[in-house]
Amino acid sequence: MKTHITPRVRFAPSPTGNLHIGGMRTALFNWLYARNVGGAFLIRVEDTDRERSRDEFMQSQLAALKWCGIESDEPLVFQSKRTDVYQSVIEKLLSEKKAYRCFCSPEAVESRIRASGVTEEHFAYDGFCKTADQNPARRSFVIRVAFPEDITELVVSDLIRGTVTFDASLFDDFIIARPDGSPMYNFAVVVDDAFQKITHVIRGEEHLGNTPKQIILYRALGLTPPQFAHIPLILSPDGGKLSKRDGAVDVLAYKQEGYLSDALVNYMVRLGWSHGDQELFTKEELIKYFCLEAVGKKGAVFDMHKLQWINATYIKQLSAAQCCEWIVADVMPELSGRTLRWSDADRVMAVGLYKERIKTGKELCDALVTLHEGPREYVEADVAQWMTPDARGMVTELIQRLSSIDQWTKDQITPVINEVCTQSGVKLVSLAQPIRIALTGGTHSPGVFDLLVLVGKTETLNRLHAVLR
Ligand code: GLU
C-alpha cells in the first residue's frame, strides 16, 4: 500500500544580517509550494556562527517575513539549541569510522598546500589523520567526514535543474565540526532536515555545490536524501550579481519606501516563476498556480521599474482612506504632524488626489508634504514655459480676485479662475499651470481646483505672491 507523505519544506535563514530580497524569494517559493500541495512550511534558524549571529537580525528577518504573510507552521527550530544532537551524531559517525578527528594545524595544512603546488581552493585534504591516533585528549581537532572511496561521481536529481553530475574527485574529507565542536553548515543542515522530516529542499542555486556533500552525509547516516530544487539567482540588469544599487536591500527597506507587501510578493514570485503571461496575481492565485515545474533554470533579472509598476497598480486598488492608513502605518507615522493645517478628511482627500499618480508610498508622502508646506524650489523648465509676462499678469489679477472670496470652496474659486481666463482670452491651462507651479513647484499635479481648496486661502495667496518674486 502506498502511504501518502505530507510534503514538508523549510526556510533556513542565518541571522547574520537582515532579510534581503533573495532570501525572501526563497522563503516565498517554499511557502507557496507548501500551501499549494497542502504541506507544512517551517522556519529553522541557522545560528551556529556564534560570532556573527544576532537576535536582532533574527527578529528583523521574522518581521520581514511576517510582513509578507509568511510564518512558520510549527515552532521555530534553532540550531544553537541542538548542540547535543549534533554531538551525538558525530559520536555515532566516529564510532562507525565514517568520520574522524583531524589534528592537522592550519599551519600544517597550509604547508602541505604549498608543497602540493595547488591553490587553496583546489587543495583536497589528503586524509593524513584518517589513520592517525584518534585520541581526542591530544590537542585541538576538527571532525572530517571519511569520503567513501567507492564513489566516483555524485548525482543530484534537481527538480528545477534536472540531473546534475559532480565528479567525486572534486570533494575531499570535508570538515563537519569545528575545533569548538560546533557543526559546519553542511552537517547541521543534513541532521536537521532529517530531524524535521523535510521532503523538499528548495533553496538558492548558490547551494547547489553543497548538495553533493550533503548527499554524502545522508549516505553516511543511512538516510534517504530529500528532493532538491535549486532556484536560479536574481541578477542585476547587466546580468551580474545583484548589488545594493540594483535593489538588493533589506526587505523592510521596501516597506519603509512604501511598497505594499502584496505588490512585492507578486513581483518576487515572478522572478524565476511564470504562469503564462500573467503578471498580476492575488495571493490565492499564487497559491493555486505555484509549482516548481514552472520555475526557470536561468537567472532572473531584477527590474525595479516593473516592481514599481506593480506597486502603483496595487496602490490604485486601495481606497483613499485605506491608502492614508497604510502610509501612516508603514511609511510616515509623522504624516499628521507634518500636515497640521489639514483635518483627517483633508488628508484623505489629498491622498485621493495623488494616489493614482505615484509609484511608492514615499513618493506619495513627499507629494503631500510638499503640497502642505509649499514648494522649496520651482522646476525651472516649467517656469520658463509657463510663467510668461502674460501669465504673471493673470496671476496678479487672480490674487486680487481671490482675496475677496469669503467662502474658500470649489464653488466660489472656480468661477473666479474662469473669469480671469475669459478676460485674458486664454484657455484654462494657461492659468492652471502657473497656479500649479505656485502651489507645488511644478506642473505635474492633480486638478488645480482641488489643490487650491486643500492649500487654503491664506497659504494660496502667499504662494501666488511668492511665485511672482
Ligand atoms: N542557512 C543557509 C543560508 O542562509 C540555508 C541554506 C539551505 O537552505 O540549505 O543560505
Side-chain angles (χ1 to χ4, degrees), residues 81 127 152 154 164 177 186 256 283 291 333 348 449:
K81 298 197 178 130
T152 54
L154 282 150
V164 189
N186 280 307
Q256 284 145 17
K283 268 253 171 77
C291 61
V348 171
F449 301 111

Side-chain angles (χ1 to χ4, degrees), residues 218-289:
Y218 279 106
R219 185 176 129 137
L221 294 168
L223 298 166
T224 310
Q227 298 222 268
F228 293 101
H230 288 93
I231 56 184
L233 297 176
I234 302 179
L235 306 173
S236 70
D238 62 12
K241 194 171 178 281
L242 194 69
S243 71
K244 253 202 166 129
R245 203 189 32 171
D246 310 311
V249 294
D250 176 8
V251 168
L252 290 177
Y254 283 92
K255 179 181 179 189
Q256 284 145 17
E257 193 63 29
Y259 286 86
L260 287 159
S261 61
D262 284 349
L264 187 64
V265 163
N266 187 148
Y267 176 67
M268 296 306 295
V269 180
R270 284 285 290 103
L271 273 182
W273 173 82
S274 58
H275 181 73
D277 293 335
Q278 190 169 338
E279 291 290 1
L280 300 170
F281 297 86
T282 61
K283 268 253 171 77
E284 292 69 33
E285 285 176 315
L286 288 176
I287 291 172
K288 187 163 154 211
Y289 300 141

Side-chain angles (χ1 to χ4, degrees), residues 303-319:
D303 179 351
M304 195 54 129
H305 296 295
K306 195 159 152 199
L307 169 58
Q308 288 177 346
W309 170 74
I310 292 185
N311 199 46
T313 309
Y314 275 76
I315 292 173
K316 284 190 189 115
Q317 288 165 5
L318 298 179
S319 69

Side-chain angles (χ1 to χ4, degrees), residues 66-333:
K66 191 167 175 192
W67 177 60
C68 296
I70 302 176
E71 287 183 89
S72 184
D73 294 335
E74 292 177 13
L76 302 192
V77 166
F78 290 82
Q79 289 192 325
S80 58
K81 298 197 178 130
R82 292 175 42 77
T83 319
D84 293 351
V85 177
Y86 305 126
Q87 199 47 47
S88 69
V89 177
I90 294 227
E91 293 301 336
K92 180 171 179 289
L93 289 175
L94 286 172
S95 70
E96 292 171 358
K97 302 231 171 329
K98 288 175 178 159
Y100 60 89
R101 297 184 183 90
C102 170
F103 302 92
C104 295
S105 64
E107 298 75 34
V109 173
E110 176 85 42
S111 75
R112 295 221 291 283
I113 293 176
R114 255 185 272 119
S116 69
V118 296
T119 56
E120 192 171 352
E121 77 244 38
H122 291 112
F123 176 76
Y125 181 73
D126 51 10
F128 186 82
C129 285
K130 200 169 175 177
T131 50
D133 171 14
Q134 288 285 298
N135 181 357
R138 269 175 53 194
R139 55 184 188 274
S140 150
F141 57 85
V142 295
I143 306 290
R144 287 183 184 273
V145 71
F147 198 93
E149 279 161 17
D150 58 326
I151 291 184
T152 54
E153 57 179 35
L154 282 150
V155 179
V156 179
S157 313
D158 192 274
L159 292 170
I160 293 167
R161 312 196 57 90
T163 304
V164 189
T165 307
F166 293 84
D167 182 347
S169 68
L170 295 172
F171 300 94
D172 63 357
D173 292 351
F174 56 90
I175 298 174
I176 56 174
R178 302 183 183 91
D180 65 2
S182 61
M184 297 290 282
Y185 157 72
N186 280 307
F187 175 70
V189 94
V190 166
V191 172
D192 291 342
D193 282 340
F195 162 72
Q196 295 187 280
K197 299 191 169 37
I198 299 303
T199 58
H200 296 72
V201 167
I202 305 168
R203 62 185 169 201
E205 193 182 87
E206 67 276 17
H207 287 291
L208 183 62
N210 285 320
T211 310
K213 295 185 182 179
Q214 294 173 17
I215 290 176
I216 286 298
L217 292 170
Y218 279 106
R219 185 176 129 137
L221 294 168
L223 298 166
T224 310
Q227 298 222 268
F228 293 101
H230 288 93
I231 56 184
L233 297 176
I234 302 179
L235 306 173
S236 70
D238 62 12
K241 194 171 178 281
L242 194 69
S243 71
K244 253 202 166 129
R245 203 189 32 171
D246 310 311
V249 294
D250 176 8
V251 168
L252 290 177
Y254 283 92
K255 179 181 179 189
Q256 284 145 17
E257 193 63 29
Y259 286 86
L260 287 159
S261 61
D262 284 349
L264 187 64
V265 163
N266 187 148
Y267 176 67
M268 296 306 295
V269 180
R270 284 285 290 103
L271 273 182
W273 173 82
S274 58
H275 181 73
D277 293 335
Q278 190 169 338
E279 291 290 1
L280 300 170
F281 297 86
T282 61
K283 268 253 171 77
E284 292 69 33
E285 285 176 315
L286 288 176
I287 291 172
K288 187 163 154 211
Y289 300 141
F290 186 82
C291 61
L292 292 172
E293 291 76 32
V295 175
K297 283 196 187 59
K298 278 206 299 215
V301 175
F302 189 81
D303 179 351
M304 195 54 129
H305 296 295
K306 195 159 152 199
L307 169 58
Q308 288 177 346
W309 170 74
I310 292 185
N311 199 46
T313 309
Y314 275 76
I315 292 173
K316 284 190 189 115
Q317 288 165 5
L318 298 179
S319 69
Q322 287 171 324
C323 195
C324 198
E325 215 173 281
W326 158 59
I327 52 174
V328 170
D330 285 4
V331 188
M332 196 181 269

Side-chain angles (χ1 to χ4, degrees), residues 379-389 437:
V379 177
E380 271 179 38
D382 291 346
V383 170
Q385 185 179 354
W386 295 102
M387 293 306 293
T388 59
I437 295 171

